[in-house]
Amino acid sequence: MKTLTLIIGAIYGMTSVILGAFGAHAFKKILSVERLQSFETGVKYQMYHALLLLIIGFFFKFETGTEKWAAWCIILGVILFSFSIYLLSFQEVWGVNLKFLGPITPLGGLLMITGWALLIYVFAKTKF
């Protein structure tokens, strides 16, 4: 779990830099200001959680189920939150209706919040 968390954290970090660069340059020409702001929100949250995954990947031993679930909630939360925002940002450009993804975004946010809550629990139980 440790290696997986570190790899996914690094992948999320790398892809958020790539997507952020596209958003700052290429996508400015094709997305509305509102859609670009949404896209950038997805990029920011992806990067924040990439860094979090790297931190917990380095410090956790993943000996408890709570540590593992915290990582999984964050990993899955980013996929549902950020990637649904990316797709929704492009629905007008692609000419497709992706509004069914609308409820997916808050579900991803809820998973990220759950991951943070589990981290609070782990920290409260750990003797430093």
Side-chain angles (χ1 to χ4, degrees):
M1 186 70 199
K2 184 178 207 59
T3 302
L4 180 66
T5 300
L6 289 168
I7 290 170
I8 292 174
I11 290 169
Y12 282 176
M14 179 185 70
T15 55
S16 68
V17 171
I18 293 167
L19 292 170
F22 274 105
H25 302 289
F27 297 160
K28 270 188 174 177
K29 298 172 186 168
I30 59 174
L31 294 178
S32 69
V33 172
E34 181 182 318
R35 295 291 183 186
L36 189 59
Q37 287 175 337
S38 292
F39 185 87
E40 289 171 352
T41 297
V43 170
K44 286 180 204 171
Y45 276 77
Q46 182 176 334
M47 179 55 86
Y48 299 151
H49 289 85
L51 295 172
L52 176 61
L53 288 170
L54 293 173
I55 291 167
I56 66 174
F58 278 117
F59 291 104
F60 279 7
K61 293 178 183 174
F62 295 99
E63 294 173 340
T64 69
T66 307
E67 290 175 341
K68 293 173 189 172
W69 274 109
W72 277 117
C73 285
I74 293 162
I75 290 167
L76 297 174
V78 169
I79 291 170
L80 296 179
F81 182 84
S82 291
F83 288 85
S84 66
I85 288 176
Y86 301 150
L87 293 171
L88 286 166
S89 296
F90 278 91
Q91 69 180 345
E92 292 167 3
V93 174
W94 295 333
V96 294
N97 184 351
L98 299 175
K99 293 196 187 305
F100 69 91
L101 292 174
I104 302 293
T105 307
L107 180 59
L110 182 60
L111 281 170
M112 290 188 293
I113 292 166
T114 302
W116 282 100
L118 290 171
L119 289 177
I120 293 167
Y121 179 79
V122 168
F123 297 151
K125 291 289 187 183
T126 302
K127 307 244 189 290
F128 291 103

Short mmCIF file of all heavy atoms in Angstrom, two decimals, residues 54-76:
data_model
loop_
_atom_site.label_atom_id
_atom_site.label_comp_id
_atom_site.label_asym_id
_atom_site.label_seq_id
_atom_site.Cartn_x
_atom_site.Cartn_y
_atom_site.Cartn_z
N LEU A 54 1.74 11.80 -1.05
CA LEU A 54 3.19 11.62 -0.89
C LEU A 54 3.59 11.70 0.57
O LEU A 54 4.39 10.89 1.05
CB LEU A 54 3.95 12.66 -1.72
CG LEU A 54 3.82 12.51 -3.23
CD1 LEU A 54 4.48 13.70 -3.94
CD2 LEU A 54 4.43 11.20 -3.72
N ILE A 55 3.01 12.63 1.30
CA ILE A 55 3.34 12.78 2.72
C ILE A 55 2.93 11.54 3.50
O ILE A 55 3.73 10.97 4.25
CB ILE A 55 2.69 14.05 3.30
CG1 ILE A 55 3.36 15.29 2.71
CG2 ILE A 55 2.77 14.06 4.82
CD1 ILE A 55 2.62 16.59 2.97
N ILE A 56 1.68 11.11 3.33
CA ILE A 56 1.25 9.94 4.11
C ILE A 56 1.94 8.67 3.61
O ILE A 56 2.19 7.76 4.39
CB ILE A 56 -0.28 9.78 4.18
CG1 ILE A 56 -0.90 9.49 2.82
CG2 ILE A 56 -0.92 10.99 4.83
CD1 ILE A 56 -2.39 9.18 2.88
N GLY A 57 2.28 8.64 2.33
CA GLY A 57 3.02 7.50 1.80
C GLY A 57 4.38 7.35 2.44
O GLY A 57 4.85 6.25 2.69
N PHE A 58 5.02 8.47 2.72
CA PHE A 58 6.33 8.43 3.36
C PHE A 58 6.25 8.13 4.85
O PHE A 58 7.12 7.47 5.40
CB PHE A 58 7.10 9.74 3.15
CG PHE A 58 7.78 9.82 1.82
CD1 PHE A 58 7.40 10.79 0.90
CD2 PHE A 58 8.78 8.93 1.46
CE1 PHE A 58 8.03 10.88 -0.34
CE2 PHE A 58 9.40 9.00 0.23
CZ PHE A 58 9.03 9.99 -0.67
N PHE A 59 5.20 8.61 5.52
CA PHE A 59 5.15 8.51 6.97
C PHE A 59 4.31 7.36 7.51
O PHE A 59 4.59 6.88 8.60
CB PHE A 59 4.68 9.84 7.57
CG PHE A 59 5.70 10.92 7.43
CD1 PHE A 59 5.55 11.92 6.48
CD2 PHE A 59 6.85 10.92 8.20
CE1 PHE A 59 6.50 12.91 6.32
CE2 PHE A 59 7.82 11.91 8.06
CZ PHE A 59 7.64 12.90 7.12
N PHE A 60 3.31 6.92 6.78
CA PHE A 60 2.48 5.82 7.27
C PHE A 60 3.15 4.48 7.01
O PHE A 60 3.82 4.30 5.99
CB PHE A 60 1.11 5.82 6.59
CG PHE A 60 0.11 6.78 7.15
CD1 PHE A 60 0.43 7.70 8.12
CD2 PHE A 60 -1.18 6.77 6.68
CE1 PHE A 60 -0.51 8.59 8.62
CE2 PHE A 60 -2.14 7.64 7.17
CZ PHE A 60 -1.79 8.56 8.14
N LYS A 61 2.90 3.56 7.92
CA LYS A 61 3.36 2.19 7.71
C LYS A 61 2.23 1.34 7.11
O LYS A 61 2.45 0.21 6.71
CB LYS A 61 3.83 1.59 9.03
CG LYS A 61 5.07 2.26 9.56
CD LYS A 61 5.50 1.68 10.88
CE LYS A 61 6.71 2.43 11.41
NZ LYS A 61 7.06 1.99 12.74
N PHE A 62 1.04 1.88 7.10
CA PHE A 62 -0.16 1.21 6.59
C PHE A 62 -0.38 -0.12 7.30
O PHE A 62 -0.71 -1.12 6.68
CB PHE A 62 -0.08 1.04 5.06
CG PHE A 62 -0.10 2.35 4.33
CD1 PHE A 62 1.07 2.92 3.87
CD2 PHE A 62 -1.29 3.02 4.13
CE1 PHE A 62 1.06 4.14 3.22
CE2 PHE A 62 -1.31 4.25 3.47
CZ PHE A 62 -0.13 4.81 3.02
N GLU A 63 -0.22 -0.07 8.61
CA GLU A 63 -0.44 -1.26 9.44
C GLU A 63 -1.90 -1.38 9.89
O GLU A 63 -2.33 -2.44 10.27
CB GLU A 63 0.48 -1.23 10.66
CG GLU A 63 1.95 -1.35 10.29
CD GLU A 63 2.87 -1.15 11.48
OE1 GLU A 63 2.44 -0.55 12.49
OE2 GLU A 63 4.03 -1.59 11.38
N THR A 64 -2.62 -0.26 9.83
CA THR A 64 -4.02 -0.29 10.26
C THR A 64 -4.95 -0.09 9.07
O THR A 64 -4.58 0.52 8.07
CB THR A 64 -4.31 0.82 11.30
OG1 THR A 64 -4.26 2.09 10.66
CG2 THR A 64 -3.32 0.77 12.46
N GLY A 65 -6.13 -0.60 9.24
CA GLY A 65 -7.15 -0.41 8.21
C GLY A 65 -7.50 1.06 8.02
O GLY A 65 -7.79 1.49 6.91
N THR A 66 -7.45 1.84 9.11
CA THR A 66 -7.79 3.26 9.02
C THR A 66 -6.79 3.99 8.13
O THR A 66 -7.19 4.84 7.32
CB THR A 66 -7.82 3.89 10.42
OG1 THR A 66 -8.67 3.12 11.26
CG2 THR A 66 -8.33 5.31 10.37
N GLU A 67 -5.51 3.68 8.26
CA GLU A 67 -4.50 4.31 7.41
C GLU A 67 -4.74 3.95 5.94
O GLU A 67 -4.66 4.80 5.06
CB GLU A 67 -3.10 3.88 7.82
CG GLU A 67 -2.65 4.43 9.15
CD GLU A 67 -1.31 3.89 9.60
OE1 GLU A 67 -0.87 2.83 9.10
OE2 GLU A 67 -0.69 4.52 10.47
N LYS A 68 -5.05 2.69 5.70
CA LYS A 68 -5.31 2.24 4.32
C LYS A 68 -6.56 2.90 3.76
O LYS A 68 -6.57 3.37 2.61
CB LYS A 68 -5.45 0.72 4.27
CG LYS A 68 -4.17 -0.01 4.58
CD LYS A 68 -4.40 -1.50 4.69
CE LYS A 68 -3.15 -2.20 5.20
NZ LYS A 68 -3.40 -3.61 5.50
N TRP A 69 -7.63 2.96 4.55
CA TRP A 69 -8.87 3.57 4.08
C TRP A 69 -8.71 5.07 3.84
O TRP A 69 -9.31 5.61 2.91
CB TRP A 69 -10.02 3.30 5.06
CG TRP A 69 -10.68 2.00 4.78
CD1 TRP A 69 -10.61 0.85 5.52
CD2 TRP A 69 -11.48 1.68 3.64
NE1 TRP A 69 -11.32 -0.15 4.92
CE2 TRP A 69 -11.87 0.33 3.77
CE3 TRP A 69 -11.91 2.39 2.53
CZ2 TRP A 69 -12.67 -0.31 2.83
CZ3 TRP A 69 -12.71 1.76 1.58
CH2 TRP A 69 -13.08 0.42 1.75
N ALA A 70 -7.91 5.73 4.66
CA ALA A 70 -7.66 7.16 4.44
C ALA A 70 -7.04 7.37 3.07
O ALA A 70 -7.47 8.23 2.29
CB ALA A 70 -6.75 7.72 5.54
N ALA A 71 -6.03 6.56 2.75
CA ALA A 71 -5.37 6.67 1.44
C ALA A 71 -6.35 6.35 0.31
O ALA A 71 -6.41 7.08 -0.69
CB ALA A 71 -4.16 5.75 1.38
N TRP A 72 -7.12 5.29 0.45
CA TRP A 72 -8.06 4.91 -0.62
C TRP A 72 -9.13 5.98 -0.84
O TRP A 72 -9.51 6.27 -1.97
CB TRP A 72 -8.70 3.55 -0.34
CG TRP A 72 -7.84 2.42 -0.77
CD1 TRP A 72 -7.29 1.46 0.02
CD2 TRP A 72 -7.40 2.12 -2.11
NE1 TRP A 72 -6.53 0.59 -0.74
CE2 TRP A 72 -6.59 0.98 -2.05
CE3 TRP A 72 -7.62 2.72 -3.34
CZ2 TRP A 72 -6.00 0.42 -3.18
CZ3 TRP A 72 -7.03 2.17 -4.48
CH2 TRP A 72 -6.23 1.03 -4.38
N CYS A 73 -9.63 6.56 0.26
CA CYS A 73 -10.65 7.61 0.12
C CYS A 73 -10.08 8.81 -0.65
O CYS A 73 -10.76 9.39 -1.51
CB CYS A 73 -11.15 8.06 1.49
SG CYS A 73 -12.27 6.89 2.26
N ILE A 74 -8.84 9.15 -0.36
CA ILE A 74 -8.22 10.28 -1.05
C ILE A 74 -7.97 9.93 -2.52
O ILE A 74 -8.27 10.72 -3.42
CB ILE A 74 -6.94 10.71 -0.33
CG1 ILE A 74 -7.30 11.29 1.04
CG2 ILE A 74 -6.13 11.70 -1.15
CD1 ILE A 74 -6.16 11.36 2.03
N ILE A 75 -7.45 8.75 -2.77
CA ILE A 75 -7.16 8.32 -4.15
C ILE A 75 -8.44 8.32 -4.99
O ILE A 75 -8.49 8.90 -6.08
CB ILE A 75 -6.50 6.92 -4.16
CG1 ILE A 75 -5.08 7.01 -3.61
CG2 ILE A 75 -6.52 6.31 -5.56
CD1 ILE A 75 -4.44 5.66 -3.26
N LEU A 76 -9.47 7.68 -4.48
CA LEU A 76 -10.73 7.60 -5.23
C LEU A 76 -11.45 8.94 -5.29
O LEU A 76 -12.07 9.28 -6.30
CB LEU A 76 -11.64 6.53 -4.61
CG LEU A 76 -11.09 5.10 -4.66
CD1 LEU A 76 -11.99 4.15 -3.89
CD2 LEU A 76 -10.93 4.65 -6.10
#
